[in-house]
């Protein structure tokens, strides 16, 4: 799989009859994610949301089944070789490196940066609202700014698949909305495939086009976010978000968009 061939626009992701276990009840995933769309992955704690992302990223290896990205089986590819970027709940910044250097790791793990690399880094920092903060250390930034650094690193990597594992869970509602809108804006520009784990119905409804709902270690239902949040989702999903919550979320988002 050539790296250049997998850059740019999003590509489909599929877990084909994938099974995995930490030694307890097995997790089983048989699901496809549409190319160039944002899919929210939801479900109770322990249902396998983070594990699903780790299987796509290559941090976990299936016991059976295939992980396909852009139609190619990436089962033998290490994480660094997969056309994937990932942002975690903890932003994984190096405390001793500046903002510019932390972002630069997305271009060169050795930080041997060309002029083209430095230009791309500066553009990514401007795009994420970090212009002028390139020399700061992570401890000099707010929590939201540190997550912006992580997103800027994603931009300079320019991979077709973006995995978000509850990266904004620790932020307050207003700042979380700002970060979600930033992700949506970047997605509109880049068209990457986004798999977004969240516990927040409001977050899923704000930027998600599709929903994959996990329950008891398996895919319980898939569909459009519109259907899920107007009561057409499975009963387990309605219990998960709470009675009437889906419609309330839809009304709230509709008000914000008008």
């Amino acid at each position: 799989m050539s790296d250049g061939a997998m850059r740019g626009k999003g590509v489909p992701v599929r877990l084909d009859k994938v099974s995995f276990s930490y030694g307890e009840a097995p997790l089983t995933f048989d699901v496809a994610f549409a190319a160039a769309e944002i899919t929210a992955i939801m479900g109770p704690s322990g249902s396998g949301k983070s594990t699903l992302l780790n299987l796509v990223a290559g941090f976990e290896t299936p016991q059976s089944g295939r992980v396909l990205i852009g139609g190619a089986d990436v089962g033998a590819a290490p994480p660094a070789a997969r056309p994937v970027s990932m942002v975690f709940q903890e932003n994984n910044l190096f405390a001793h490196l500046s903002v510019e250097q932390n972002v630069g790791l997305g271009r060169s793990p050795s930080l041997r940066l060309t002029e083209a690399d430095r230009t791309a880094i500066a553009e990514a920092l401007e795009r994420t609202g970090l212009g002028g903060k390139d020399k700061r250390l992570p401890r000099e930034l707010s929590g939201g700014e540190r997550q912006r650094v992580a997103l800027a690193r994603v931009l300079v990597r320019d991979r077709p698949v973006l995995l978000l594992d509850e990266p904004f869970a620790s932020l307050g509602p207003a700042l979380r909305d700002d970060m979600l809108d930033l992700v949506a804006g970047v997605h509109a520009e880049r068209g990457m495939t986004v798999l977004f784990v969240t516990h927040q119905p409001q977050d899923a409804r704000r930027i998600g086009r599709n929903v994959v709902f996990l329950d008891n270690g398996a895919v319980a239902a898939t569909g459009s976010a519109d259907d899920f949040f107007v009561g057409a989702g499975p009963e387990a999903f309605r219990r998960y978000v709470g009675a009437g919550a889906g419609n309330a979320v839809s009304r709230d988002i509709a008000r914000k968009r008008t």
Side-chain angles (χ1 to χ4, degrees):
M1 180 191 312
S2 72
D3 183 60
M6 296 298 286
R7 289 180 182 270
K9 280 279 193 179
V11 295
V13 175
R14 175 165 177 75
L15 280 72
D16 179 27
K17 299 181 177 64
V18 166
S19 66
F20 180 82
S21 174
Y22 291 108
E24 303 171 354
L27 304 171
T28 57
F29 303 120
D30 192 27
V31 63
F33 297 91
E37 294 186 0
I38 300 177
T39 300
I41 302 171
M42 304 186 71
S45 296
S47 58
K49 301 182 298 298
S50 293
T51 300
L52 189 154
L53 292 193
N54 287 336
L55 287 163
V56 175
F59 300 128
E60 302 288 5
T61 301
Q63 293 167 337
S64 64
R66 300 182 301 162
V67 176
L68 305 170
I69 302 178
D73 187 343
V74 297
R82 298 191 184 195
V84 168
S85 291
M86 189 165 182
V87 180
F88 303 87
Q89 188 167 347
E90 298 299 326
N91 43 63
N92 284 8
L93 303 184
F94 289 92
H96 66 290
L97 297 181
S98 68
V99 165
E100 180 183 44
Q101 290 170 320
N102 269 289
V103 174
L105 292 172
R107 297 291 282 231
S108 169
S110 65
L111 287 177
R112 294 192 179 97
L113 302 173
T114 66
E115 280 305 309
D117 291 334
R118 295 186 186 281
T119 298
I121 292 165
E123 290 174 350
L125 291 176
E126 287 292 336
R127 178 65 185 86
T128 53
L130 292 167
K133 299 183 178 181
D134 51 310
K135 303 305 181 186
R136 294 192 184 184
L137 294 173
R139 66 172 179 270
E140 300 172 306
L141 304 176
S142 68
E145 287 172 333
R146 288 193 289 272
Q147 289 297 48
R148 288 175 184 269
V149 175
L151 281 177
R153 188 164 57 198
V154 162
L155 293 184
V156 300
R157 280 176 55 78
D158 195 24
R159 297 297 191 265
V161 177
L162 172 59
L163 309 177
L164 301 173
D165 194 1
E166 297 193 82
F168 314 132
S170 63
L171 304 180
L175 186 53
R176 197 170 70 235
D177 283 350
D178 288 345
M179 296 301 295
L180 290 168
D181 291 344
L182 176 58
V183 169
V186 169
H187 174 262
E189 296 165 7
R190 300 286 184 98
M192 66 280 232
T193 303
V194 180
L195 280 57
F196 173 40
V197 165
T198 181
H199 279 287
Q200 300 292 334
Q202 296 89 344
D203 294 1
R205 191 69 186 94
R206 190 178 188 91
I207 67 170
R209 180 179 178 89
N210 308 305
V211 173
V212 168
F213 181 66
L214 306 183
D215 196 26
N216 294 320
V219 177
T222 64
S224 74
D226 287 342
D227 286 345
F228 266 75
F229 288 103
V230 296
E235 182 180 351
F237 177 78
R238 295 196 297 273
R239 289 197 305 270
Y240 172 70
V241 300
N247 288 331
V249 169
S250 292
R251 289 194 298 270
D252 182 54
I253 297 298
R255 281 197 301 270
K256 291 179 179 179
R257 289 175 174 171
T258 57

